[in-house]
């Protein structure tokens, strides 16, 4: 039996490096509720990312739900169907109606040219996703938000460490939300964070992630339990020691894929506009009609060879039962997203992936494409 090559594999530093952190936690006897590890990780992430205020969470989904609650978002929110389902679920958890808008065929992010037509008197916010870590058209989105007085909450779950000319792209919008799930570029087993623009917002979010408590006896809102525990925070601190090396290795793998698949007819590697500043969180390819195998045939062939690639993002969020009756979920409204969801395969990419595995994956794709 050949070993499975999964689409991603967690950044897992040597176990012995984690023991001293655990010893500190055992000594302190503080396991959660904003202990020393939690405080240190918030500060270390602010320093690493060049940001002022980061509120840690137990996972990215709770962070998304709380981000919307903290801004009192109601009514309708414009978002992308081409994402992980948690993006839209966070709206439903707040009683908000998602309005799906199609994506740009080059960036696979929300198409700013199609946003205005979806705005109604009930629209209160836009929730774009920096899909695969490739930045949205932030300038265009913020121009629209300003004209129509809308809030912008970025689902930045894929965008850890992504920058533009001015610094981290997480500084944009009213709030940005990260996920530190085990499958992400930076992980804390499970975890997430909200990037806050100021100390006041940070404090409010701090209350909302702790049941709404502001002190021992006062509860100001129906907050959730969204707190990150000390073991996860400690793991984040350790992970930060290794993250630059991990990002550099991801870049090498990305380059190798592009070099090996270059010129193969019917397979297109998705380009990143901000290539020098991106994080290579995913390696999506689009299997075009001229390729001899259909997308699902290639996907199956990879699986048969123990290469567990994934069809991120298929199906579209708008095709799930709790969304598909929405007018904006109509296939005719989302032609680009639908077409891309039918072509995409994300190939394995993670720091421990060996060059010879990338070569084997590419050889299999090339053989499938030249029969
Ligand atoms: C991973 C992910 C989430 C959810 O984060 P969790 O930490 O798993 O709750 C939300 N949105 C996107 C785009 C994601 O990829």
């Amino acid at each position: 039996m050949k070993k499975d090559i999964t689409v991603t594999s967690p950044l897992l530093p040597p176990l012995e490096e984690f023991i001293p952190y655990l010893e500190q936690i055992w000594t302190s006897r503080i396991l959660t509720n904003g202990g020393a590890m939690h405080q240190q990780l918030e500060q270390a992430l602010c320093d690493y990312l060049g940001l002022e205020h980061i509120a840690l969470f137990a996972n990215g989904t709770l962070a998304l739900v709380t981000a919307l609650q903290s801004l009192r978002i109601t009514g309708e929110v414009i978002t992308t169907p081409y994402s992980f389902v948690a993006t839209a679920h966070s709206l439903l958890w707040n009683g908000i109606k998602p309005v799906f808008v199609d994506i740009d065929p080059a960036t696979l992010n929300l198409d700013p040219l199609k946003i205005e037509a979806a705005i109604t008197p009930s629209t209160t916010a836009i929730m774009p996703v920096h899909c695969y870590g490739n930045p949205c058209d932030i300038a265009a989105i913020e121009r629209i938000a300003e004209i129509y007085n809308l809030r912008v909450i970025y689902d930045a779950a894929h965008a850890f460490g992504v920058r533009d000319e001015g610094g981290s792209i997480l500084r944009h919008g009213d709030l940005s939300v990260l996920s530190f799930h085990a499958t992400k570029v930076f992980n804390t087993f499970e975890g997430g964070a909200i990037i806050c623009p100021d100390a006041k917002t940070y404090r409010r979010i701090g209350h909302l992630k702790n049941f709404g408590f502001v002190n021992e006896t006062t509860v100001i809102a129906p907050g959730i339990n969204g707190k990150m525990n000390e073991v996860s925070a400690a793991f984040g601190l350790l992970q930060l020691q290794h993250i630059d090396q991990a990002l550099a290795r991801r870049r090498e793998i990305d380059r190798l894929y592009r070099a090996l698949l270059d010129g193969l007819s019917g397979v297109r590697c998705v380009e990143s506009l901000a290539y020098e500043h991106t994080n290579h969180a995913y390696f999506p390819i689009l299997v075009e009609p001229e390729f001899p195998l259909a997308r699902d045939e290639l996907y199956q062939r990879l699986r048969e060879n123990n290469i567990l690639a994934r069809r991120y993002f298929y199906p579209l969020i708008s095709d799930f039962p709790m969304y598909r009756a929405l007018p904006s979920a109509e296939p005719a409204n989302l032609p680009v997203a639908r077409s891309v969801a039918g072509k995409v395969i994300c190939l394995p990419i993670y720091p421990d992936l060996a060059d010879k595995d990338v070569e084997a994956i590419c050889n299999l794709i090339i053989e499938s494409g030249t029969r």
Side-chain angles (χ1 to χ4, degrees), residues 13 32 53 63 65 100 106 122 138 141 145-146 178 213 237 261 268 283 297 324 356 361:
T32 185
H53 307 280
V65 169
F100 296 110
S122 303
I138 288 164
I141 289 169
E146 198 170 306
L178 286 167
F213 276 108
L237 284 168
L261 295 175
R268 181 155 74 84
F283 195 85
E297 289 171 333
R324 65 183 171 220
K356 67 165 179 33
I361 293 165

Side-chain angles (χ1 to χ4, degrees), residues 11 53 138 227 233 261-262 289 329 371:
L11 177 54
H53 307 280
I138 288 164
K227 304 184 302 294
L261 295 175
D262 187 41
R371 35 150 219 201

Side-chain angles (χ1 to χ4, degrees), residues 7-8 82 132 183 282 284 310-314 344-346:
V7 72
T8 183
Y82 192 76
Y132 306 131
T183 53
Y282 298 84
R310 294 292 298 268
R311 290 165 290 185
Y312 293 144
F313 289 99
Y314 166 85
V344 73
I345 299 180
C346 282

Side-chain angles (χ1 to χ4, degrees), residues 276-299:
E276 287 313 312
H277 299 300
T278 195
N279 62 2
H280 312 286
Y282 298 84
F283 195 85
I285 60 168
L286 302 182
V287 183
E288 303 287 354
E290 62 264 31
F291 196 75
L293 297 188
R295 188 273 308 268
D296 287 349
E297 289 171 333
L298 179 58
Y299 169 76

